[in-house]
Amino acid sequence: MKFKADQTSQKLRGGYYTPQNLADYVSKWVLSKNPKTILEPSCGDGVFIQAVANNDCDASIKLSCFELFDKEASKALERCKLNNLDNATVTEGDFLVWSNEQLKKQQAIFDGVLGNPPFIRYQFLEKNFQEQAQLVFEQLDLKFTKHTNAWVPFLLSSLALLKKGGRMGMVIPSEISHVMHAQSLRSYLGHTCSKIVIIDPKEIWFEDTLQGAVIILAEKKKDSDEPSQGVGIVSVSGFEFLQDDPDVLFDNTVGINGETVEGKWTKATLDIDELKLIKKIISHTDVRKFKDIAKVDVGIVTGANKYFLVDNETVTTYELDKFSHPMFGRSQHCPGIIYDEQQHIENQNQGLPTNFLYIDEEYEDLSVRVKSYIELGEVEEYHKRYKCRIRKPWFKVPSVYSTEIGMLKRCHDAPRLIHNKVGAYTTDTAYRITSTVTTPENLVCSFLNPLTAITAELEGRFYGGGVLELVPSEIEKLYIPVVEGLEHNVDELNQLIKEGQIEKVIRQQGSLILDKLGFTQEDNEKLVDIWKKLRDRRLRK
């Protein structure tokens, strides 16, 4: 959990301003339709106002700009005056308050939309802003989640106020393609737009941030019956693409329709032949969805991992041996695919917190030393934390059980399952997996193949820094090729992964497994290339 007090003022106001060359390019595309009215919902110091002027637009164009912060609004207004944009207005205040009033009238009033909306997490928004954000969703009859980010309601309301046939060009977070909280936005864009193009850079455009950003170019349908061309994603490197006409780029980008528009957009990064190959592989009868071959449950929710996960020294000091059980919850604990006694001892020797405390006796029956550890927790006020204070006694953690397979919630290169040979417990940084159709060893080893790695990239989500995260509902959608009776060199696979050679393992296992299913080595190599393409995009390599 990240707390408001820990955030910079720049993050709290979402102030990451667009480089002028990008703003000029986006504006050129919107202005090529000769709009009479343009909305800029979060103008900052006026970089998009400058971009409109830089594109030699008609001086009579009506610009309606909004900015929450007075100092930035003053700078933006000064830009309007310096560029003789006499029909431009800069309104100081909350754009969402104004837009919600306009949405009540159900009238589209702008020919174009430009800008870079604020990137602010919902929990960091002021209460009034939170209420206005939720109201946007309600007025558009869309599903709302409190995980949303400020840029999502900005895009939704801007698009709703855009006239039929109008264009929206904005710089937004790259997470639009895959995060759950943007699903309502993706569906709304797919329903209302005739075509959507995402310009996706390999680099980070904003300095001093891990937040990836993209350009979205969206053209609204002229009427509700107009067919949609879907979503197209163009990968770019550097700023060479700025030399090309944005209209040509938009027109030449092939969109992917259907489930891609309605769901996550990551598939739109792949070409038709790549999608055909994936479809061919998953249609095989021995390629199964994860939910059909295994069960997924979250790990143990302690409410205070720092207190309940301890090293050997703490166990000895407070005589906690009776209540201590082996555990893992990080990649540091389990660098391979096997968690056994040897790995557990290695972790202990490194001084890692390898012990999970399950104190299942009444307080009165505990020893003096164990009681002193509980009292220490109360001095540190762990008992006041939400998950702790709602249970009695606070120090007895619920839902304590282990499974033969574990899976870390987050990964760098590719997700992997872990064969839990010692019945170790896992916290909520990992998942508890139960195989329902094959042996734990076969499932753990079969999971390591390019098709499964691809579907993880397509179903998962990532944030700043590119770490891939999967929640249970996404894991259930992964595809796993399972061949019964297949022999795996488990110790070799475990060692290779510990050495950081997961790409070699995925290629090797893909070759072994897909060959048994009747696919070619060429198919396997193509799948590896597709996975690397998706992985490198996520990691911005």
Side-chain angles (χ1 to χ4, degrees):
M1 175 70 73
K2 293 188 177 181
F3 297 96
K4 189 172 183 177
D6 300 326
Q7 306 307 304
T8 65
S9 60
Q10 184 183 39
K11 284 185 178 181
L12 291 175
R13 63 184 174 84
Y16 297 103
Y17 291 166
T18 307
Q20 191 64 58
N21 57 350
L22 295 180
D24 289 350
Y25 185 81
V26 174
S27 300
K28 182 178 181 179
W29 181 74
V30 171
L31 291 168
S32 69
K33 294 277 284 189
N34 298 313
K36 303 299 182 186
T37 55
I38 286 183
L39 167 67
E40 216 292 30
S42 180
C43 66
D45 63 359
V47 67
F48 277 94
I49 294 171
Q50 187 64 52
V52 170
N54 290 349
N55 277 283
D56 299 320
C57 72
D58 186 338
S60 67
I61 194 168
K62 184 177 180 181
L63 273 175
S64 297
C65 310
F66 293 81
E67 173 53 41
L68 185 61
F69 297 96
D70 55 356
K71 289 183 179 180
E72 300 303 281
S74 296
K75 294 176 187 177
L77 187 58
E78 186 62 26
R79 289 228 205 192
C80 295
K81 293 176 181 178
L82 288 173
N83 288 289
N84 299 314
L85 296 171
D86 298 332
N87 277 346
T89 60
V90 179
T91 302
E92 181 191 328
D94 186 346
F95 165 72
L96 292 185
V97 172
W98 179 85
S99 66
N100 272 316
E101 288 301 315
Q102 305 309 308
L103 291 177
K104 290 176 183 177
K105 302 173 186 177
Q106 297 185 337
Q107 291 181 345
I109 52 181
F110 296 104
D111 301 315
V113 175
L114 288 169
N116 168 8
F119 303 0
I120 313 172
R121 292 183 179 182
Y122 182 85
Q123 68 264 38
F124 299 149
L125 300 175
E126 298 299 331
K127 188 171 187 277
N128 181 64
F129 198 110
Q130 291 179 342
E131 293 170 351
Q132 292 297 322
Q134 184 169 350
L135 183 57
V136 170
F137 284 80
E138 291 173 355
Q139 293 208 81
L140 297 177
D141 196 24
L142 297 172
K143 184 179 179 181
F144 174 74
T145 169
K146 289 186 177 180
H147 294 294
T148 196
N149 195 299
W151 64 269
V152 176
F154 267 72
L155 254 70
L156 282 171
S157 52
S158 297
L159 187 61
L161 296 174
L162 185 64
K163 293 179 182 178
K164 292 179 179 180
R167 285 182 165 183
M168 179 177 74
M170 302 190 88
V171 178
I172 59 174
S174 59
E175 65 186 30
I176 185 176
S177 298
H178 55 269
V179 293
M180 282 181 158
H181 72 71
Q183 184 54 63
S184 290
L185 172 62
R186 287 193 293 268
S187 297
Y188 188 70
L189 280 160
H191 177 70
T192 60
C193 294
S194 58
K195 186 175 181 179
I196 304 154
V197 170
I198 302 290
I199 301 176
D200 185 21
K202 293 181 179 178
E203 303 85 10
I204 298 291
W205 277 338
F206 295 105
E207 294 181 5
D208 302 321
T209 174
L210 293 174
Q211 176 66 65
V214 299
I215 291 172
I216 182 170
L217 306 176
E219 192 164 78
K220 204 165 183 180
K221 291 180 180 179
K222 294 181 178 64
D223 59 69
S224 57
D225 296 328
E226 182 181 355
S228 172
Q229 297 179 53
V231 180
I233 297 182
V234 182
S235 180
V236 298
S237 180
F239 289 124
E240 290 182 8
F241 74 97
L242 298 178
Q243 307 304 315
D244 301 325
D245 187 331
D247 272 307
V248 174
L249 180 144
F250 185 80
D251 292 340
N252 290 346
T253 301
V254 177
I256 296 174
N257 214 325
E259 63 178 13
T260 299
V261 175
E262 293 301 322
K264 295 187 178 183
W265 288 356
T266 318
K267 278 186 180 178
T269 61
L270 304 178
D271 61 40
I272 299 301
D273 289 338
E274 291 170 332
L275 291 170
K276 282 182 178 178
L277 175 60
I278 294 169
K279 190 173 182 179
K280 180 178 79 170
I281 304 294
I282 64 176
S283 65
H284 193 286
T285 54
D286 289 327
V287 176
R288 314 276 293 278
K289 271 194 173 181
F290 198 88
K291 67 177 183 179
D292 296 327
I293 61 174
K295 296 178 181 178
V296 185
D297 192 11
V298 295
I300 299 167
V301 180
T302 69
N305 281 354
K306 188 176 180 180
Y307 180 80
F308 291 100
L309 309 179
V310 298
D311 56 20
N312 280 4
E313 183 180 353
T314 302
V315 170
T316 301
T317 301
Y318 292 96
E319 300 175 1
L320 294 163
D321 302 76
K322 181 180 179 181
F323 308 107
S324 300
H325 307 272
M327 63 73 56
F328 65 87
R330 303 177 185 173
S331 56
Q332 185 183 19
H333 288 131
C334 191
I337 56 171
I338 298 173
Y339 196 82
D340 55 13
E341 190 64 30
Q342 180 182 342
Q343 183 63 57
H344 187 62
I345 292 172
E346 285 181 20
N347 292 345
Q348 288 180 324
N349 292 337
Q350 293 179 49
L352 298 177
T354 58
N355 304 286
F356 167 70
L357 299 182
Y358 180 51
I359 305 174
D360 57 348
E361 293 183 6
E362 296 298 324
Y363 182 81
E364 296 76 18
D365 299 330
L366 298 173
S367 69
V368 172
R369 294 302 296 151
V370 176
K371 285 180 179 178
S372 69
Y373 188 71
I374 292 173
E375 290 164 3
L376 174 65
E378 292 174 352
V379 169
E380 297 291 335
E381 297 191 341
Y382 287 118
H383 65 303
K384 294 182 179 181
R385 293 191 178 186
Y386 175 70
K387 291 292 183 181
C388 297
R389 73 171 185 262
I390 62 173
R391 62 188 183 228
K392 303 295 181 183
W394 73 268
F395 53 81
K396 183 179 179 181
V397 179
S399 185
V400 175
Y401 70 89
S402 66
T403 55
E404 286 191 78
I405 304 172
M407 178 182 176
L408 299 177
K409 183 183 292 187
R410 295 173 178 169
C411 67
H412 181 70
D413 278 319
R416 53 193 163 84
L417 302 182
I418 298 165
H419 193 178
N420 182 9
K421 290 189 171 184
V422 294
Y425 293 124
T426 57
T427 66
D428 53 357
T429 56
Y431 300 117
R432 292 175 280 193
I433 310 289
T434 304
S435 178
T436 56
V437 301
T438 190
T439 65
E441 181 178 292
N442 191 36
L443 182 58
V444 168
C445 295
S446 297
F447 193 87
L448 295 163
N449 69 86
L451 176 68
T452 302
I454 287 168
T455 55
E457 295 288 347
L458 296 177
E459 296 296 341
R461 79 285 296 279
F462 57 93
Y463 306 94
V467 173
L468 180 65
E469 178 179 297
L470 291 153
V471 299
S473 62
E474 293 163 342
I475 296 169
E476 290 176 343
K477 296 175 184 176
L478 303 185
Y479 282 94
I480 323 289
V482 178
V483 179
E484 286 300 330
L486 191 61
E487 292 187 7
H488 304 277
N489 191 334
V490 186
D491 291 334
E492 179 187 44
L493 297 177
N494 185 54
Q495 187 59 37
L496 285 171
I497 292 174
K498 290 174 78 170
E499 293 171 358
Q501 299 191 60
I502 195 165
E503 182 177 322
K504 179 178 179 179
V505 168
I506 285 175
R507 176 179 279 106
Q508 181 178 305
Q509 284 294 96
S511 176
L512 173 68
I513 297 168
L514 295 176
D515 178 68
K516 293 294 184 182
L517 299 185
F519 297 108
T520 67
Q521 292 300 312
E522 183 182 5
D523 289 335
N524 184 56
E525 282 303 315
K526 286 181 178 177
L527 288 174
V528 171
D529 288 342
I530 294 170
W531 164 60
K532 290 169 64 178
K533 174 181 176 179
L534 292 169
R535 178 203 64 187
D536 291 351
R537 172 181 176 270
R538 167 171 56 85
L539 296 174
R540 300 199 174 273
K541 286 188 175 181

